[in-house]
Coordinates of all heavy atoms in Angstrom, one line a residue:
M1 N -87.8 -54.6 -7.6 CA -87.4 -53.6 -6.7 C -88.7 -52.9 -6.1 O -89.6 -52.6 -7.0 CB -86.5 -52.5 -7.3 CG -86.0 -51.5 -6.4 SD -84.8 -50.3 -7.0 CE -84.7 -50.4 -8.7
A2 N -88.8 -52.7 -4.9 CA -90.0 -52.1 -4.3 C -90.1 -50.6 -4.7 O -89.2 -50.0 -5.0 CB -90.0 -52.3 -2.8
C3 N -91.3 -50.0 -4.7 CA -91.6 -48.7 -5.0 C -90.8 -47.8 -4.2 O -90.2 -46.7 -4.7 CB -93.1 -48.3 -5.0 SG -94.1 -49.1 -6.3
H4 N -90.6 -48.1 -2.9 CA -89.9 -47.1 -2.0 C -88.3 -47.1 -2.4 O -87.7 -46.1 -2.3 CB -90.1 -47.5 -0.6 CG -89.3 -48.7 0.0 ND1 -89.8 -50.0 -0.3 CD2 -88.1 -48.8 0.5 CE1 -89.0 -50.8 0.2 NE2 -87.9 -50.2 0.7
R5 N -87.9 -48.2 -2.9 CA -86.5 -48.2 -3.3 C -86.3 -47.4 -4.6 O -85.3 -46.6 -4.7 CB -86.0 -49.7 -3.6 CG -86.2 -50.6 -2.4 CD -85.1 -50.3 -1.4 NE -83.9 -50.8 -1.9 CZ -82.7 -50.6 -1.3 NH1 -82.7 -50.0 -0.1 NH2 -81.6 -51.0 -1.8
I6 N -87.3 -47.5 -5.5 CA -87.2 -46.6 -6.7 C -87.3 -45.2 -6.4 O -86.5 -44.3 -6.9 CB -88.4 -47.0 -7.7 CG1 -88.2 -48.4 -8.2 CG2 -88.5 -46.0 -8.9 CD1 -89.3 -49.0 -9.0
E7 N -88.2 -44.8 -5.5 CA -88.4 -43.4 -5.0 C -87.0 -42.9 -4.4 O -86.6 -41.7 -4.7 CB -89.6 -43.3 -4.1 CG -90.9 -43.5 -4.8 CD -92.0 -43.6 -3.9 OE1 -91.8 -43.5 -2.7 OE2 -93.2 -43.8 -4.4
E8 N -86.4 -43.7 -3.5 CA -85.2 -43.4 -2.9 C -84.1 -43.2 -3.9 O -83.4 -42.1 -3.8 CB -84.8 -44.4 -1.8 CG -83.6 -44.0 -1.0 CD -83.2 -45.1 0.0 OE1 -83.8 -46.2 0.0 OE2 -82.3 -44.7 0.9
L9 N -84.0 -44.1 -4.7 CA -83.0 -43.9 -5.8 C -83.1 -42.7 -6.6 O -82.2 -41.9 -7.0 CB -82.9 -45.2 -6.7 CG -81.9 -45.3 -7.8 CD1 -80.5 -45.2 -7.2 CD2 -82.0 -46.6 -8.5
L10 N -84.4 -42.4 -7.0 CA -84.6 -41.2 -7.9 C -84.4 -40.0 -7.1 O -83.9 -38.9 -7.7 CB -86.0 -41.2 -8.5 CG -86.4 -42.3 -9.5 CD1 -87.8 -42.3 -9.8 CD2 -85.5 -42.1 -10.7
E11 N -84.7 -40.0 -5.8 CA -84.5 -38.8 -5.0 C -83.0 -38.4 -4.8 O -82.5 -37.4 -4.9 CB -85.1 -39.0 -3.6 CG -85.0 -37.9 -2.6 CD -85.7 -38.3 -1.3 OE1 -86.8 -38.7 -1.3 OE2 -85.0 -38.0 -0.3
L12 N -82.2 -39.5 -4.7 CA -80.7 -39.4 -4.6 C -80.1 -39.0 -5.9 O -79.1 -38.3 -6.0 CB -80.2 -40.6 -3.9 CG -80.6 -41.0 -2.5 CD1 -80.1 -42.4 -2.2 CD2 -79.9 -40.0 -1.6
L13 N -80.6 -39.6 -7.0 CA -80.0 -39.4 -8.3 C -80.3 -38.0 -8.9 O -79.4 -37.5 -9.5 CB -80.5 -40.5 -9.3 CG -80.0 -40.5 -10.6 CD1 -78.4 -40.7 -10.6 CD2 -80.7 -41.6 -11.4
A14 N -81.4 -37.5 -8.6 CA -81.9 -36.2 -9.2 C -80.9 -35.1 -9.1 O -80.4 -34.4 -10.1 CB -83.2 -35.8 -8.7
P15 N -80.4 -34.7 -7.9 CA -79.5 -33.7 -7.7 C -78.1 -33.9 -8.3 O -77.4 -32.9 -8.9 CB -79.3 -33.4 -6.2 CG -79.9 -34.7 -5.5 CD -80.8 -35.3 -6.6
V16 N -77.6 -35.2 -8.3 CA -76.4 -35.5 -8.9 C -76.5 -35.3 -10.5 O -75.6 -34.8 -11.1 CB -76.0 -36.9 -8.6 CG1 -74.8 -37.4 -9.2 CG2 -75.8 -37.0 -7.0
W17 N -77.6 -35.8 -11.0 CA -77.8 -35.8 -12.4 C -78.0 -34.3 -12.9 O -77.6 -34.0 -14.0 CB -79.0 -36.7 -12.9 CG -79.0 -37.1 -14.2 CD1 -78.0 -36.8 -15.2 CD2 -79.9 -38.0 -14.9 NE1 -78.4 -37.4 -16.4 CE2 -79.5 -38.2 -16.2 CE3 -81.0 -38.6 -14.3 CZ2 -80.2 -39.0 -17.1 CZ3 -81.7 -39.4 -15.3 CH2 -81.3 -39.6 -16.6
Q18 N -78.5 -33.5 -12.1 CA -78.8 -32.0 -12.5 C -77.5 -31.4 -12.7 O -77.4 -30.5 -13.5 CB -79.6 -31.4 -11.3 CG -81.0 -31.7 -11.2 CD -81.8 -31.2 -12.4 OE1 -81.5 -30.2 -12.9 NE2 -82.9 -32.0 -12.7
K19 N -76.4 -31.8 -12.0 CA -75.2 -31.2 -12.2 C -74.5 -31.5 -13.5 O -73.7 -30.8 -14.0 CB -74.2 -31.6 -11.0 CG -74.6 -31.0 -9.7 CD -73.7 -31.6 -8.6 CE -74.3 -31.0 -7.2 NZ -73.5 -31.7 -6.1
E20 N -74.9 -32.6 -14.1 CA -74.3 -33.1 -15.3 C -75.4 -33.5 -16.2 O -75.5 -34.7 -16.7 CB -73.3 -34.2 -15.1 CG -72.2 -33.8 -14.2 CD -71.2 -34.9 -14.0 OE1 -70.6 -35.3 -15.1 OE2 -70.8 -35.3 -12.9
Q21 N -76.2 -32.6 -16.7 CA -77.4 -32.8 -17.4 C -77.1 -33.4 -18.9 O -78.0 -34.0 -19.5 CB -78.3 -31.7 -17.5 CG -78.8 -31.3 -16.1 CD -79.7 -30.0 -16.3 OE1 -80.0 -29.5 -17.4 NE2 -80.0 -29.4 -15.2
E22 N -75.8 -33.1 -19.2 CA -75.5 -33.6 -20.7 C -75.3 -35.1 -20.8 O -75.3 -35.7 -21.8 CB -74.2 -33.0 -21.1 CG -73.0 -33.4 -20.4 CD -72.7 -32.8 -19.0 OE1 -73.5 -32.0 -18.5 OE2 -71.7 -33.2 -18.4
L23 N -75.3 -35.8 -19.6 CA -75.1 -37.2 -19.6 C -76.5 -37.9 -19.7 O -77.4 -37.5 -19.2 CB -74.5 -37.8 -18.4 CG -73.0 -37.3 -18.0 CD1 -72.6 -37.8 -16.7 CD2 -72.1 -37.6 -19.1
N24 N -76.5 -39.0 -20.5 CA -77.7 -39.8 -20.5 C -77.7 -40.7 -19.3 O -76.7 -40.8 -18.6 CB -77.9 -40.6 -21.8 CG -76.9 -41.6 -22.1 OD1 -76.5 -42.4 -21.2 ND2 -76.3 -41.7 -23.3
L25 N -78.8 -41.5 -19.1 CA -78.9 -42.3 -17.9 C -77.9 -43.4 -17.9 O -77.3 -43.6 -16.8 CB -80.3 -43.0 -17.9 CG -80.6 -43.9 -16.7 CD1 -80.5 -43.1 -15.4 CD2 -82.0 -44.5 -16.9
M26 N -77.5 -44.0 -18.9 CA -76.5 -45.0 -18.9 C -75.1 -44.6 -18.6 O -74.3 -45.1 -17.7 CB -76.5 -45.9 -20.2 CG -77.7 -46.7 -20.4 SD -78.2 -47.8 -19.1 CE -76.9 -49.0 -19.2
Q27 N -74.8 -43.3 -19.1 CA -73.5 -42.7 -18.8 C -73.5 -42.2 -17.3 O -72.5 -42.4 -16.6 CB -73.4 -41.4 -19.7 CG -73.1 -41.7 -21.2 CD -73.2 -40.5 -21.9 OE1 -74.0 -39.6 -21.7 NE2 -72.4 -40.6 -23.0
M28 N -74.6 -41.8 -16.8 CA -74.7 -41.4 -15.3 C -74.5 -42.7 -14.5 O -73.7 -42.6 -13.5 CB -76.0 -40.7 -15.0 CG -76.1 -40.3 -13.5 SD -74.7 -39.2 -12.9 CE -75.0 -37.8 -13.8
L29 N -75.1 -43.8 -14.8 CA -75.0 -45.0 -14.0 C -73.7 -45.6 -14.1 O -73.0 -46.0 -13.1 CB -76.0 -46.1 -14.5 CG -77.5 -45.7 -14.2 CD1 -78.3 -46.8 -14.8 CD2 -77.8 -45.5 -12.8
Q30 N -72.9 -45.4 -15.3 CA -71.6 -45.8 -15.4 C -70.7 -44.9 -14.6 O -69.7 -45.4 -13.9 CB -71.1 -45.8 -16.8 CG -69.7 -46.3 -17.2 CD -69.7 -47.8 -16.8 OE1 -70.3 -48.6 -17.4 NE2 -68.8 -48.1 -15.8
K31 N -71.0 -43.7 -14.5 CA -70.1 -42.8 -13.7 C -70.1 -43.1 -12.2 O -69.2 -43.1 -11.5 CB -70.5 -41.3 -14.0 CG -69.7 -40.3 -13.2 CD -70.0 -38.9 -13.5 CE -69.1 -38.1 -12.7 NZ -69.2 -36.6 -13.1
I32 N -71.4 -43.4 -11.8 CA -71.6 -43.7 -10.4 C -70.9 -45.1 -10.1 O -70.3 -45.2 -9.0 CB -73.2 -43.8 -10.1 CG1 -73.7 -42.4 -10.1 CG2 -73.4 -44.4 -8.6 CD1 -75.2 -42.3 -10.1
A33 N -71.1 -46.0 -11.0 CA -70.4 -47.4 -10.8 C -68.9 -47.1 -10.8 O -68.2 -47.8 -10.0 CB -70.8 -48.2 -12.0
D34 N -68.3 -46.3 -11.6 CA -66.9 -46.1 -11.6 C -66.4 -45.4 -10.2 O -65.4 -45.9 -9.7 CB -66.5 -45.2 -12.8 CG -66.6 -45.9 -14.1 OD1 -66.8 -47.1 -14.2 OD2 -66.7 -45.1 -15.1
Q35 N -67.2 -44.5 -9.8 CA -66.9 -43.9 -8.5 C -66.9 -44.9 -7.4 O -66.2 -44.8 -6.4 CB -67.9 -42.7 -8.2 CG -67.8 -41.6 -9.1 CD -68.9 -40.5 -8.8 OE1 -69.9 -40.8 -8.3 NE2 -68.7 -39.3 -9.5
A36 N -67.8 -45.9 -7.4 CA -67.9 -46.9 -6.4 C -66.9 -47.9 -6.6 O -66.8 -48.8 -5.7 CB -69.3 -47.6 -6.5
G37 N -66.1 -48.0 -7.7 CA -65.1 -49.0 -7.8 C -65.7 -50.2 -8.5 O -65.0 -51.2 -8.5
F38 N -66.9 -50.2 -9.0 CA -67.5 -51.3 -9.6 C -67.0 -51.6 -11.0 O -66.9 -50.7 -11.9 CB -69.0 -51.1 -9.8 CG -69.8 -52.3 -10.3 CD1 -70.0 -53.4 -9.5 CD2 -70.3 -52.2 -11.6 CE1 -70.8 -54.4 -10.0 CE2 -71.0 -53.3 -12.1 CZ -71.3 -54.5 -11.3
K39 N -66.5 -52.9 -11.3 CA -65.8 -53.2 -12.6 C -66.6 -54.1 -13.4 O -66.3 -54.2 -14.5 CB -64.5 -54.0 -12.2 CG -63.5 -53.1 -11.4 CD -63.1 -51.8 -12.1 CE -62.1 -51.2 -11.3 NZ -62.0 -49.7 -11.5
G40 N -67.8 -54.6 -13.0 CA -68.6 -55.5 -13.8 C -69.5 -54.9 -14.7 O -69.5 -53.6 -14.8
P41 N -70.3 -55.6 -15.4 CA -71.2 -54.9 -16.5 C -72.3 -54.3 -15.7 O -72.7 -54.7 -14.6 CB -71.7 -56.1 -17.2 CG -71.5 -57.4 -16.4 CD -70.3 -57.0 -15.6
L42 N -72.9 -53.2 -16.3 CA -73.9 -52.4 -15.6 C -75.1 -53.4 -15.3 O -75.9 -52.9 -14.4 CB -74.4 -51.2 -16.5 CG -73.4 -50.1 -16.5 CD1 -73.9 -48.9 -17.4 CD2 -73.1 -49.5 -15.2
T43 N -75.4 -54.4 -16.0 CA -76.5 -55.2 -15.7 C -76.4 -55.9 -14.4 O -77.3 -56.3 -13.8 CB -76.7 -56.3 -16.8 OG1 -75.4 -57.1 -16.9 CG2 -77.0 -55.7 -18.1
E44 N -75.2 -55.9 -13.7 CA -75.0 -56.5 -12.5 C -74.9 -55.5 -11.4 O -74.8 -55.8 -10.2 CB -73.7 -57.4 -12.4 CG -73.8 -58.6 -13.4 CD -72.5 -59.4 -13.4 OE1 -71.6 -59.1 -12.6 OE2 -72.5 -60.4 -14.3
L45 N -75.0 -54.3 -11.7 CA -75.0 -53.1 -10.7 C -76.3 -53.2 -9.9 O -77.4 -53.1 -10.5 CB -74.8 -51.8 -11.4 CG -74.7 -50.6 -10.7 CD1 -73.4 -50.6 -9.8 CD2 -74.7 -49.3 -11.5
T46 N -76.2 -53.3 -8.7 CA -77.4 -53.4 -7.8 C -78.0 -51.9 -7.4 O -77.2 -51.1 -7.3 CB -77.2 -54.2 -6.6 OG1 -76.3 -53.5 -5.7 CG2 -76.6 -55.6 -7.0
D47 N -79.2 -52.0 -7.1 CA -79.8 -50.7 -6.5 C -79.2 -50.3 -5.2 O -79.0 -49.2 -4.9 CB -81.4 -50.8 -6.4 CG -81.8 -51.9 -5.5 OD1 -81.2 -53.0 -5.6 OD2 -82.8 -51.8 -4.8
D48 N -78.8 -51.3 -4.4 CA -78.2 -51.1 -3.1 C -76.8 -50.4 -3.3 O -76.5 -49.5 -2.6 CB -78.0 -52.4 -2.3 CG -79.1 -53.0 -1.8 OD1 -80.1 -52.3 -1.5 OD2 -79.2 -54.3 -1.7
M49 N -76.1 -50.8 -4.3 CA -74.7 -50.2 -4.6 C -74.9 -48.7 -5.1 O -74.2 -47.8 -4.6 CB -74.0 -50.9 -5.6 CG -72.6 -50.4 -5.8 SD -71.6 -51.3 -7.0 CE -71.5 -52.9 -6.1
L50 N -75.9 -48.5 -5.9 CA -76.2 -47.1 -6.3 C -76.5 -46.2 -5.2 O -76.2 -45.2 -5.0 CB -77.3 -47.1 -7.4 CG -76.9 -47.7 -8.8 CD1 -78.2 -47.9 -9.6 CD2 -75.9 -46.8 -9.5
I51 N -77.6 -46.7 -4.4 CA -78.0 -45.9 -3.3 C -77.0 -45.6 -2.3 O -76.7 -44.5 -1.8 CB -79.2 -46.6 -2.5 CG1 -80.4 -46.6 -3.5 CG2 -79.5 -46.0 -1.2 CD1 -81.6 -47.5 -3.1
Y52 N -76.0 -46.7 -1.9 CA -75.0 -46.4 -1.1 C -74.0 -45.4 -1.6 O -73.6 -44.5 -0.9 CB -74.3 -47.7 -0.8 CG -73.0 -47.6 0.1 CD1 -73.2 -47.6 1.5 CD2 -71.8 -47.5 -0.5 CE1 -72.1 -47.3 2.3 CE2 -70.7 -47.3 0.3 CZ -70.9 -47.2 1.7 OH -69.8 -47.1 2.5
Q53 N -73.7 -45.5 -2.9 CA -72.6 -44.6 -3.5 C -73.3 -43.2 -3.5 O -72.5 -42.2 -3.3 CB -72.3 -45.1 -4.9 CG -71.2 -44.2 -5.5 CD -70.0 -44.1 -4.8 OE1 -69.5 -45.0 -4.2 NE2 -69.3 -42.9 -5.0
L54 N -74.5 -43.0 -3.9 CA -75.1 -41.7 -3.9 C -75.2 -41.1 -2.5 O -75.0 -39.9 -2.3 CB -76.5 -41.8 -4.5 CG -76.5 -42.1 -6.1 CD1 -77.9 -42.4 -6.5 CD2 -75.9 -40.8 -6.8
K55 N -75.4 -41.9 -1.4 CA -75.4 -41.4 -0.1 C -74.1 -41.1 0.4 O -73.9 -40.1 1.1 CB -76.2 -42.4 0.8 CG -77.6 -42.4 0.8 CD -78.2 -43.4 1.7 CE -79.6 -43.4 1.7 NZ -80.2 -44.4 2.8
M56 N -73.1 -42.0 0.1 CA -71.8 -41.8 0.8 C -70.7 -41.2 -0.1 O -69.7 -41.0 0.3 CB -71.3 -43.2 1.3 CG -72.3 -43.8 2.3 SD -72.4 -42.9 3.8 CE -70.7 -42.9 4.5
G57 N -71.0 -41.1 -1.4 CA -70.0 -40.6 -2.4 C -69.5 -39.2 -2.0 O -68.2 -39.1 -2.2
S58 N -70.1 -38.3 -1.4 CA -69.7 -37.1 -1.1 C -69.2 -36.9 0.3 O -68.7 -35.9 0.7 CB -70.8 -36.0 -1.4 OG -71.9 -36.2 -0.6
A59 N -69.3 -38.0 1.1 CA -68.9 -38.0 2.5 C -67.4 -38.2 2.6 O -66.8 -38.6 1.7 CB -69.6 -39.2 3.3
D60 N -66.9 -37.8 3.7 CA -65.5 -38.0 3.9 C -65.2 -39.4 4.0 O -66.0 -40.3 4.3 CB -65.1 -37.4 5.4 CG -65.2 -36.0 5.5 OD1 -65.0 -35.3 4.4 OD2 -65.3 -35.4 6.6
E61 N -63.9 -39.8 3.7 CA -63.5 -41.2 3.5 C -63.6 -41.9 4.9 O -64.0 -43.2 4.9 CB -62.1 -41.4 3.1 CG -61.7 -42.7 2.7 CD -60.3 -42.8 2.1 OE1 -60.1 -42.0 1.1 OE2 -59.6 -43.6 2.5
G62 N -63.5 -41.2 5.9 CA -63.6 -41.9 7.3 C -65.0 -41.7 7.9 O -65.2 -42.2 9.1
A63 N -66.0 -41.2 7.1 CA -67.3 -41.1 7.7 C -68.0 -42.4 8.0 O -67.8 -43.4 7.2 CB -68.2 -40.2 6.7
M64 N -68.8 -42.4 9.0 CA -69.5 -43.7 9.3 C -70.7 -43.8 8.4 O -71.4 -42.9 8.1 CB -69.9 -43.6 10.8 CG -70.5 -44.9 11.3 SD -70.5 -45.2 13.0 CE -68.8 -44.9 13.5
I65 N -71.0 -45.1 8.1 CA -72.2 -45.4 7.4 C -73.4 -45.1 8.1 O -73.5 -45.4 9.4 CB -72.1 -47.0 7.0 CG1 -70.9 -47.3 6.2 CG2 -73.4 -47.3 6.3 CD1 -70.7 -48.7 6.0
P66 N -74.4 -44.3 7.6 CA -75.5 -43.9 8.3 C -76.2 -45.0 9.1 O -76.7 -44.8 10.2 CB -76.5 -43.3 7.3 CG -75.5 -42.8 6.2 CD -74.4 -43.9 6.2
G67 N -76.4 -46.2 8.5 CA -77.2 -47.3 9.2 C -76.4 -47.8 10.4 O -77.0 -48.3 11.3
I68 N -75.1 -47.7 10.4 CA -74.3 -48.2 11.5 C -74.2 -47.0 12.5 O -74.1 -47.3 13.8 CB -73.0 -48.6 11.0 CG1 -73.0 -49.9 10.1 CG2 -71.9 -48.9 12.2 CD1 -71.7 -50.2 9.4
Q69 N -74.1 -45.8 12.1 CA -73.9 -44.7 12.9 C -75.1 -44.6 14.0 O -74.7 -44.3 15.2 CB -73.9 -43.3 12.1 CG -73.6 -42.1 12.9 CD -73.4 -40.9 12.1 OE1 -73.8 -41.0 10.9 NE2 -72.9 -39.9 12.7
K70 N -76.3 -44.9 13.7 CA -77.3 -44.8 14.6 C -77.2 -45.8 15.9 O -77.7 -45.6 16.8 CB -78.7 -45.0 13.9 CG -79.0 -46.4 13.4 CD -80.3 -46.5 12.7 CE -80.6 -47.8 12.1 NZ -80.6 -48.9 13.0
D71 N -76.5 -46.9 15.6 CA -76.3 -47.8 16.7 C -75.0 -47.8 17.3 O -74.6 -48.5 18.3 CB -76.4 -49.3 16.0 CG -77.8 -49.6 15.5 OD1 -78.7 -49.0 16.0 OD2 -77.9 -50.3 14.6
Y72 N -74.0 -46.7 16.9 CA -72.8 -46.7 17.4 C -72.7 -46.1 18.9 O -73.4 -45.2 19.1 CB -72.0 -45.7 16.5 CG -70.5 -45.4 17.0 CD1 -69.5 -46.5 16.8 CD2 -70.1 -44.3 17.6 CE1 -68.3 -46.3 17.3 CE2 -68.8 -44.1 18.0 CZ -67.9 -45.1 17.8 OH -66.6 -44.9 18.2
V73 N -71.9 -46.6 19.7 CA -71.8 -46.2 21.1 C -70.3 -45.9 21.3 O -69.4 -46.7 21.1 CB -72.2 -47.2 22.1 CG1 -72.0 -46.8 23.5 CG2 -73.7 -47.5 21.8
E74 N -69.9 -44.7 21.7 CA -68.6 -44.3 21.9 C -68.1 -45.0 23.2 O -68.7 -45.1 24.1 CB -68.6 -42.7 22.2 CG -67.2 -42.1 22.3 CD -66.5 -41.9 20.9 OE1 -67.2 -41.8 19.9 OE2 -65.4 -42.0 20.9
N75 N -66.8 -45.5 23.0 CA -66.1 -46.1 24.2 C -66.9 -47.3 24.8 O -67.0 -47.4 25.9 CB -65.7 -45.1 25.2 CG -64.8 -44.1 24.7 OD1 -63.9 -44.3 23.8 ND2 -65.0 -42.9 25.2
Y76 N -67.5 -48.1 23.8 CA -68.3 -49.3 24.3 C -67.3 -50.4 24.9 O -66.3 -50.7 24.3 CB -69.0 -49.8 23.2 CG -70.1 -50.8 23.6 CD1 -71.1 -50.5 24.2 CD2 -69.8 -52.2 23.4 CE1 -72.3 -51.4 24.7 CE2 -70.8 -53.1 23.7 CZ -72.0 -52.7 24.4 OH -72.9 -53.6 24.8
D77 N -67.6 -50.9 26.1 CA -66.9 -51.9 26.7 C -67.4 -53.3 26.3 O -68.3 -53.9 26.9 CB -66.9 -51.7 28.2 CG -66.0 -52.7 29.0 OD1 -65.4 -53.4 28.3 OD2 -66.1 -52.7 30.2
W78 N -66.8 -53.9 25.2 CA -67.1 -55.1 24.8 C -67.1 -56.3 25.8 O -68.0 -57.2 25.8 CB -66.5 -55.4 23.4 CG -66.8 -54.5 22.4 CD1 -66.2 -53.4 21.8 CD2 -68.1 -54.6 21.5 NE1 -66.9 -52.9 20.8 CE2 -68.1 -53.6 20.6 CE3 -69.2 -55.6 21.5 CZ2 -69.1 -53.4 19.7 CZ3 -70.2 -55.4 20.6 CH2 -70.1 -54.4 19.7
K79 N -66.0 -56.3 26.4 CA -65.7 -57.3 27.4 C -66.9 -57.4 28.4 O -67.4 -58.4 28.7 CB -64.4 -57.1 28.1 CG -64.0 -58.1 29.1 CD -62.7 -57.9 29.7 CE -62.4 -58.9 30.9 NZ -61.2 -58.5 31.7
A80 N -67.2 -56.2 29.0 CA -68.2 -56.2 30.1 C -69.5 -56.6 29.5 O -70.3 -57.3 30.1 CB -68.3 -54.8 30.6
A81 N -69.8 -56.2 28.2 CA -71.1 -56.6 27.6 C -71.2 -58.1 27.4 O -72.3 -58.7 27.6 CB -71.3 -55.8 26.2
I82 N -70.1 -58.7 27.0 CA -70.1 -60.2 26.8 C -70.2 -60.9 28.1 O -71.0 -61.9 28.1 CB -68.8 -60.6 26.0 CG1 -68.8 -60.0 24.6 CG2 -68.6 -62.1 26.1 CD1 -67.5 -60.2 23.8
L83 N -69.5 -60.5 29.1 CA -69.7 -61.1 30.4 C -71.0 -60.9 31.0 O -71.6 -61.9 31.5 CB -68.6 -60.5 31.4 CG -67.1 -60.9 31.1 CD1 -66.2 -60.1 31.9 CD2 -66.9 -62.3 31.2
K84 N -71.7 -59.8 30.8 CA -73.0 -59.5 31.2 C -74.0 -60.4 30.5 O -74.9 -61.0 31.1 CB -73.4 -58.0 31.0 CG -74.8 -57.8 31.6 CD -75.1 -56.2 31.5 CE -76.4 -56.0 32.0 NZ -76.8 -54.5 31.8
A85 N -73.8 -60.6 29.1 CA -74.7 -61.5 28.4 C -74.5 -62.9 28.9 O -75.5 -63.7 28.7 CB -74.3 -61.3 26.8
R86 N -73.4 -63.3 29.3 CA -73.2 -64.7 29.8 C -73.6 -64.8 31.2 O -73.5 -65.9 31.9 CB -71.7 -65.1 29.6 CG -71.4 -65.2 28.2 CD -69.9 -65.7 28.0 NE -69.5 -65.9 26.6 CZ -68.4 -66.1 26.2 NH1 -67.3 -66.2 27.1 NH2 -68.1 -66.2 24.9
G87 N -74.1 -63.8 31.8 CA -74.5 -63.8 33.2 C -73.5 -63.6 34.3 O -73.7 -63.9 35.4
I88 N -72.3 -63.1 33.8 CA -71.3 -62.9 34.7 C -71.1 -61.4 35.0 O -71.0 -60.6 34.1 CB -69.9 -63.5 34.1 CG1 -69.9 -64.9 33.8 CG2 -68.8 -63.1 35.0 CD1 -68.8 -65.4 33.0
D89 N -71.4 -61.1 36.3 CA -71.3 -59.7 36.6 C -69.9 -59.3 37.0 O -69.4 -59.9 38.0 CB -72.3 -59.4 37.8 CG -73.3 -58.3 37.5 OD1 -73.2 -57.8 36.3 OD2 -74.1 -58.1 38.3
E90 N -69.2 -58.4 36.3 CA -67.9 -58.1 36.6 C -68.0 -56.6 37.4 O -68.2 -55.6 36.8 CB -67.2 -58.0 35.4 CG -65.6 -57.6 35.7 CD -64.8 -57.6 34.4 OE1 -64.4 -58.6 33.9 OE2 -64.6 -56.5 33.9
E91 N -67.8 -56.7 38.7 CA -67.9 -55.4 39.4 C -66.8 -55.2 40.3 O -66.0 -56.0 40.8 CB -69.2 -55.3 40.3 CG -70.3 -55.6 39.3 CD -71.5 -54.6 39.7 OE1 -71.4 -53.9 40.7 OE2 -72.6 -54.9 39.2

């Protein structure tokens, strides 16, 4: 795992762990895995899953994923975009 991933994970984990300081690291990771619906062994828990759960865990269920939200366009006309990409101008 690259250093920036470790830093991001620690930055996201710190405030969550501060709320439940009585838990050790493995208990905290298990709690996050349970919240994410992860059923496998903790050795298979990925940093991506932890980071995603820590970022999105407190968001509304219908909230958009931050990486997708930046590219989202309201009322996008897919048909016109496909036709334009194929060189067909629909006017």
Side-chain angles (χ1 to χ4, degrees):
M1 184 174 12
C3 287
H4 73 279
R5 302 286 288 174
I6 293 170
E7 291 169 1
E8 182 179 14
L9 183 57
L10 291 174
E11 183 181 310
L12 293 167
L13 184 59
V16 174
W17 203 358
Q18 288 290 329
K19 294 176 184 173
E20 299 187 53
Q21 296 178 9
E22 71 281 358
L23 299 179
N24 64 42
L25 178 59
M26 295 306 291
Q27 290 170 325
M28 180 55 69
L29 293 177
Q30 184 64 59
K31 181 176 181 170
I32 296 168
D34 292 342
Q35 290 171 348
F38 182 76
K39 302 294 184 210
L42 285 180
T43 56
E44 295 178 9
L45 186 64
T46 64
D47 57 320
D48 290 327
M49 185 178 292
L50 288 169
I51 290 170
Y52 177 83
Q53 181 61 30
L54 289 167
K55 282 183 176 180
M56 297 299 294
S58 61
D60 292 337
E61 190 171 313
M64 188 162 304
I65 298 169
I68 294 174
Q69 185 176 13
K70 67 180 176 61
D71 297 325
Y72 179 74
V73 177
E74 188 76 31
N75 299 323
Y76 190 74
D77 185 1
W78 289 101
K79 180 182 174 189
I82 291 170
L83 291 173
K84 184 177 179 183
R86 291 183 178 172
I88 302 169
D89 236 358
E90 185 179 277
E91 301 218 12

